[in-house]
Amino acid sequence: MAQETKTAAADAPSGFYSAKKHLQEQVEEIGTLAATAQPADEAPHQRCSAARPEIITWQKLVDAIQASGRNYNFTLIENAYRTANHLHDGVKRRSGEPYICHPLAVARLLIDLGMDSESIAAALLHDVVEDTPFTIEEVKNQFGADVALLVDGVTKLTKIQFSSIEEQQAENLRKMLLAMSQDVRVMIIKLCDRLHNMRTGDAWPEQKRRDKALETMEVYAPIANRLGILNIKEELEDRSLHYLDPVSYNEIKKLLSEHAGEEFLANVSGVIEKRLEESGIGNATMKRRVKSVYGIYRKMYVQNKAFDEIYDVYAVRIILDTVAECYNALGLIHDMYHPLPNRFKDYISTPKPNGYQSLHTTVIGHEGIPFEVQIRTREMDEMAEYGVAAHWKYKEGVSGGQDKLDQRLAWVRQLLENQRVSDDAGNLLRDLKSDLLPEEVFAFTPKGDVINLPAGATCIDFAYAIHSAVGNRMVACKVNNRIVPIDHQVATGEIIEVITGPADKGPSRDWLKIVKTSEAKSKIRNWFKKMCRDENIAQGHDALAKELRRNQIVLTDEEWDPFMAEIARRLHQNTAEEMYAAIGYGGLTVAHTLPRVKEEYTKLRATDEPKIATVNVKRPHATDGVVVEGIDNCPLKFAKCCNPLPGDEIVGFVTRGFGVSIHKKSCSNALASMRDSANIERWVRAYWADDIKENYKATLEVDALDRSGLVGDVALALEDLRVPIYAMEAKQAEHGCAVMSLTVGISNTDHLNSVVARLSKIRDVLKVTRS
């Protein structure tokens, strides 16, 4: 931002700019975003180790408004401040300063972005509805409909009960995106709010700090990138990385401090500026920048590159008047320095999805140091620095630029439109993350049209990006005149031809697992929703019934219909059939449905008390170590659903033709059957005989770090305990782990506990559980 540039320039040669300056060193300048300050009376234990931003007061905000030179509605802003200050009076933040400092800091950030009076007022009021009794209606009455819309857009849904944190996060995000689609200032205020929270995040508890940093990295930084506000995007990423991986963050900061690139860039800039003047381009503005810490982190740890293999750590930016001058300057740069192959990118002719335009080329300096040269016009530079906020900073609002602004926000409306087909709130987060991936690929149709897709997108995504009819009828795909699988990942520069089938050809359900973009997923779901309703209902019903059986949720025929009607109501479906259909076409997942099912099932069974029939005991006789009251010499079998062992409380079920089945008293299948009046008479009391000699089979699951010799160590431990092994299965798991399933001979629960304790002591074993 403009003030950050001035601050950074104070400690570096003229013209030097780094959006990361606020993180790399302490800066002290009153009223700037990068400034760091502590309250004079702050206790030592409250002080953060990292640099914290200046605490903004009302007077400092007034000074910033006057220094901006813009025609703000000062009365509106002052009234908003007085209202917020009154409502937040006496409240302090975790870090100790008065709460009003936070809205003031957010408003200060918006002034740097050049936002309008309504945005500043909304920033001052953005927490009053969420944290105080003040309502949106009162905001509207006192400050107008525009300010009320902005405040409501950034206010979280706190009055509604959600079944999971993920659902709450998704619904808050959906509400904010919906408001953003009506007025982009909502998201600009939210980004500034999150930026200040991240700057003061040291006051959060450790887990909250990591959770907020992860959310910022996955949601807010990509949105800032898509809106083109690159300064905020880079700082959000750097501060998130600082909390998520402090070791790598500090290592990269150390590498940057050891490589004194500022002096090198100053020399190169001077040489380039002189050459441009000699060639008749005398009005160039030169800037210099160092790559963000997170940008370096991605290349070092994600792409596995050494620091010296990253060629764009240092960059010179040339700002010119016309596009023609940009291409002329590019020729001069390639004449002065040796360009690296495959390192030229023309974002002027093919802009990024966020509207970013520039020429990028990487060259080798005369000192043998590679650096990047970015060439763009002044208008392109404004849009690159401020993104959509440039409409307010340079155009006094959106007049004259509304069409272009609408075009830049089309992805928000498309994302929300796609979500109308999906009833699963979790899909919004997943689709947002996939659609806002930082990397993009550009592919071409045979006619030369450019199709922009996120990295990792497939030929199916390409087909649906052309038109839904093309995607639905797709049967094969050619890339550069060569047939490839339809799940081929698209690479930049490929010419892709989609081969279509007959008009009644439709997509496959498996494509939902392959495609990456929310647009493709939405169009596939929409086709199944319209074309296969009966099939969707059947598939959804079967999938839900299977999941209920897997979770041992048993319903009688009389209970099923009213139970499912209630679940459908809670999921905002009109009928159970609509719910089944939504599951069938993928608009609703079984995993999203299950928490509601479990809650309702718990309520349904809460008043049911299982009663076991009493039987006159004549002569107890043990069979296979078990005494069944009232039954002698009857075949017994141990239920595989709960695998009872001596020491467990047990109960018997008289089967038809197969003797008595022994269950644990706590077995969910047994409890469900006992509540059925048709089965209650078939349950009998059972207990273990005192003189048990038999071994019983028990299955154990061992989670461990994967290493050679692990299976042998487990087998030796069991041999030392004289425990027979009936079956053993081992397989690799994620993150370098392994899972082993063992079926062993156990005499009772005490014996089982000793075996578990012995296995837990084996090196690299993480957990041993009875399955």
Side-chain angles (χ1 to χ4, degrees):
M1 292 167 227
Q3 293 291 341
E4 282 185 308
T5 306
K6 294 177 184 176
T7 304
D11 296 326
S14 175
F16 177 74
Y17 168 68
S18 169
K20 278 61 62 186
K21 200 72 174 176
H22 55 268
L23 288 171
Q24 293 176 10
E25 60 182 272
Q26 298 255 339
V27 184
E28 293 185 3
E29 182 176 330
I30 299 302
T32 64
L33 301 182
T36 59
Q38 306 279 353
D41 58 347
E42 185 178 32
H45 72 274
Q46 291 178 325
R47 298 194 177 183
C48 309
S49 57
R52 282 176 51 193
E54 176 193 12
I55 295 176
I56 303 296
T57 62
W58 168 243
Q59 186 56 49
K60 290 177 181 177
L61 187 70
V62 172
D63 293 342
I65 291 173
Q66 294 171 347
S68 70
R70 295 175 60 83
N71 185 24
Y72 281 109
N73 183 345
F74 189 78
T75 303
L76 176 69
I77 296 173
E78 184 176 23
N79 288 339
Y81 164 72
R82 295 193 183 283
T83 301
N85 190 39
H86 170 70
L87 292 169
H88 292 307
D89 186 39
V91 182
K92 292 186 178 294
R93 305 191 78 209
R94 283 180 181 271
S95 49
E97 66 263 18
Y99 193 89
I100 191 62
C101 293
H102 170 61
L104 284 167
V106 176
R108 179 67 177 84
L109 286 166
L110 290 167
I111 290 173
D112 280 349
L113 285 174
M115 297 304 293
D116 57 8
S117 302
E118 288 77 9
S119 300
I120 309 301
L124 292 168
L125 297 165
H126 78 272
D127 278 334
V128 299
V129 175
E130 187 176 328
D131 297 336
T132 76
F134 211 64
T135 65
I136 284 293
E137 283 300 317
E138 291 175 290
V139 174
K140 185 176 181 180
N141 293 335
Q142 292 189 31
F143 301 97
D146 280 356
V147 174
L149 172 66
L150 300 178
V151 172
D152 187 44
V154 295
T155 300
K156 295 176 188 166
L157 298 168
T158 56
K159 305 290 191 295
I160 303 174
Q161 293 295 321
F162 296 98
S163 62
S164 67
I165 294 176
E166 184 188 44
E167 183 188 8
Q168 183 176 15
Q169 184 185 20
E171 291 300 339
N172 281 323
L173 183 60
R174 189 198 301 272
K175 176 177 180 286
M176 189 167 55
L177 289 174
L178 188 60
M180 174 188 169
S181 68
Q182 298 172 308
D183 195 327
V184 72
R185 291 175 295 178
V186 169
M187 185 54 73
I188 297 174
I189 295 169
K190 183 62 183 178
L191 289 174
C192 292
D193 174 38
R194 179 51 62 99
L195 178 58
H196 184 254
N197 281 330
M198 292 300 293
R199 286 180 175 182
T200 58
D202 287 321
W204 284 329
E206 175 64 24
Q207 187 57 49
K208 183 175 181 179
R209 196 158 57 223
R210 293 182 63 84
D211 291 343
K212 291 289 186 182
L214 184 62
E215 182 185 41
T216 300
M217 188 77 82
E218 291 184 340
V219 177
Y220 292 104
I223 289 177
N225 179 55
R226 181 56 70 93
L227 295 180
I229 313 175
L230 299 187
N231 284 341
I232 289 182
K233 171 247 183 187
E234 289 186 353
E235 186 177 346
L236 287 174
E237 288 175 338
D238 284 359
R239 290 192 177 275
S240 298
L241 179 65
H242 177 61
Y243 293 140
L244 292 171
D245 192 350
V247 174
S248 299
Y249 174 83
N250 291 325
E251 182 181 340
I252 294 171
K253 277 184 62 180
K254 183 180 177 183
L255 287 170
L256 285 172
S257 64
E258 291 173 352
H259 294 72
E262 291 85 353
E263 183 179 350
F264 163 73
L265 285 176
N267 294 333
V268 168
S269 296
V271 172
I272 293 175
E273 189 171 14
K274 183 178 178 181
R275 177 64 181 273
L276 290 173
E277 289 177 355
E278 292 172 354
S279 303
I281 306 176
N283 57 344
T285 301
M286 305 296 295
K287 292 184 181 180
R288 308 185 289 280
R289 76 108 175 99
V290 177
K291 195 174 185 69
S292 70
V293 176
Y294 180 70
I296 297 171
Y297 175 87
R298 280 188 60 83
K299 294 200 172 183
M300 289 184 67
Y301 294 94
V302 178
Q303 300 180 18
N304 198 27
K305 290 184 176 181
F307 185 83
D308 293 335
E309 295 175 324
I310 303 174
Y311 298 139
D312 60 346
V313 172
Y314 308 110
V316 174
R317 190 172 295 158
I318 304 172
I319 315 299
L320 301 168
D321 290 330
T322 66
V323 173
E325 285 182 340
C326 292
Y327 285 100
N328 289 337
L330 177 67
L332 291 174
I333 295 298
H334 284 177
D335 184 50
M336 294 173 63
Y337 301 102
H338 180 70
L340 292 179
N342 301 319
R343 295 288 303 178
F344 169 67
K345 295 174 183 174
D346 186 350
Y347 292 120
I348 291 181
S349 62
T350 309
K352 288 186 177 183
N354 63 5
Y356 177 87
Q357 289 184 286
S358 185
L359 297 175
H360 288 196
T361 184
T362 305
V363 297
I364 295 288
H366 300 309
E367 298 85 349
I369 300 175
F371 65 96
E372 186 177 65
V373 180
Q374 302 172 358
I375 310 170
R376 61 181 72 148
T377 66
R378 300 187 193 284
E379 184 181 0
M380 293 173 188
D381 189 56
E382 292 167 2
M383 295 302 294
E385 292 294 327
Y386 298 98
V388 294
H391 287 277
W392 283 268
K393 190 171 183 70
Y394 296 102
K395 296 186 176 67
E396 294 292 336
V398 296
S399 57
Q402 186 63 47
D403 291 342
K404 185 179 290 187
L405 185 62
D406 287 344
Q407 184 180 358
R408 295 189 67 172
L409 295 179
W411 65 271
V412 183
R413 299 183 182 94
Q414 179 66 51
L415 183 68
L416 292 168
E417 181 64 30
N418 294 342
Q419 286 303 308
R420 292 183 183 178
V421 184
S422 171
D423 300 292
D424 187 351
N427 282 339
L428 178 61
L429 285 170
R430 289 187 288 272
D431 290 348
L432 182 69
K433 291 173 187 177
S434 65
D435 284 4
L436 296 184
L437 285 173
E439 295 88 3
E440 301 90 21
V441 293
F442 303 89
F444 300 90
T445 67
K447 294 182 179 180
D449 296 328
V450 179
I451 302 294
N452 175 265
L453 296 166
T458 65
C459 290
I460 305 175
D461 294 288
F462 182 89
Y464 277 105
I466 297 172
H467 195 276
S468 56
V470 176
N472 290 337
R473 294 174 57 190
M474 179 180 184
V475 293
C477 188
K478 282 185 178 181
V479 173
N480 298 333
N481 283 325
R482 181 172 58 88
I483 292 288
V484 297
I486 59 175
D487 60 353
H488 166 82
Q489 290 195 355
V490 177
T492 295
E494 290 181 335
I495 300 174
I496 301 177
E497 179 185 353
V498 178
I499 302 172
T500 57
D504 58 350
K505 167 75 173 62
S508 165
R509 290 184 188 274
D510 293 335
W511 289 5
L512 286 169
K513 302 174 184 177
I514 299 173
V515 295
K516 302 295 182 185
T517 63
S518 62
E519 180 183 12
K521 291 176 183 176
S522 171
K523 290 177 177 178
I524 293 170
R525 292 189 191 113
N526 208 31
W527 188 89
F528 281 107
K529 183 177 182 179
K530 291 179 179 178
M531 306 299 291
C532 307
R533 177 171 171 78
D534 291 341
E535 181 184 344
N536 290 336
I537 292 173
Q539 288 204 359
H541 181 282
D542 292 346
L544 186 57
K546 181 179 179 181
E547 190 67 15
L548 263 58
R549 288 194 300 272
R550 196 178 71 83
N551 285 272
Q552 294 157 1
I553 296 174
V554 181
L555 296 168
T556 64
D557 292 341
E558 293 78 13
E559 293 171 334
W560 181 275
D561 288 342
F563 183 85
M564 288 303 162
E566 177 61 21
I567 298 299
R569 185 193 65 78
R570 290 193 59 183
L571 292 169
H572 311 295
Q573 304 290 328
N574 293 325
T575 64
E577 283 195 347
E578 280 192 15
M579 178 179 69
Y580 300 146
I583 295 173
Y585 70 73
L588 192 64
T589 63
V590 174
H592 178 68
T593 308
L594 199 58
R596 275 83 165 179
V597 172
K598 289 182 176 179
E599 288 175 17
E600 287 301 316
Y601 188 73
T602 302
K603 292 178 184 176
L604 181 67
R605 300 304 185 208
T607 56
D608 294 348
E609 290 293 335
K611 298 179 181 179
I612 303 174
T614 56
V615 181
N616 291 329
V617 180
K618 295 182 179 179
R619 183 173 57 89
H621 181 81
T623 304
D624 292 333
V626 173
V627 175
V628 179
E629 290 188 351
I631 302 177
D632 289 335
N633 299 321
C634 179
L636 297 181
K637 65 176 181 179
F638 295 99
K640 293 183 179 180
C641 58
C642 54
N643 291 317
L645 289 175
D648 292 330
E649 291 188 354
I650 55 175
V651 66
F653 179 73
V654 181
T655 65
R656 291 187 174 93
F658 296 99
V660 177
S661 176
I662 303 299
H663 292 257
K664 290 167 63 175
K665 273 191 177 180
S666 59
C667 174
S668 57
N669 284 346
L671 293 173
S673 179
M674 289 177 196
R675 297 185 183 105
D676 187 349
S677 58
N679 292 331
I680 189 62
E681 298 298 329
R682 297 169 64 187
W683 287 96
V684 294
R685 297 186 182 277
Y687 53 89
W688 298 99
D690 295 331
D691 55 346
I692 300 170
K693 302 297 184 185
E694 296 90 342
N695 273 339
Y696 297 86
K697 291 183 180 179
T699 302
L700 302 176
E701 189 169 284
V702 180
D703 296 323
L705 298 177
D706 193 11
R707 63 173 174 85
S708 59
L710 177 63
V711 174
D713 289 349
V714 171
L716 285 174
L718 294 174
E719 183 182 4
D720 291 343
L721 294 172
R722 302 287 194 272
V723 172
I725 303 174
Y726 297 108
M728 176 183 288
E729 180 184 357
K731 59 183 178 181
Q732 285 185 325
E734 295 179 345
H735 311 302
C737 293
V739 177
M740 298 177 60
S741 179
L742 306 167
T743 302
V744 296
I746 300 295
S747 59
N748 53 45
T749 52
D750 291 337
H751 187 200
L752 174 67
N753 292 336
S754 66
V755 172
V756 169
R758 176 65 182 87
L759 293 178
S760 299
K761 293 179 181 179
I762 297 174
R763 181 169 62 90
D764 294 332
V765 169
L766 304 175
K767 183 174 63 173
V768 181
T769 54
R770 175 184 172 189
S771 59

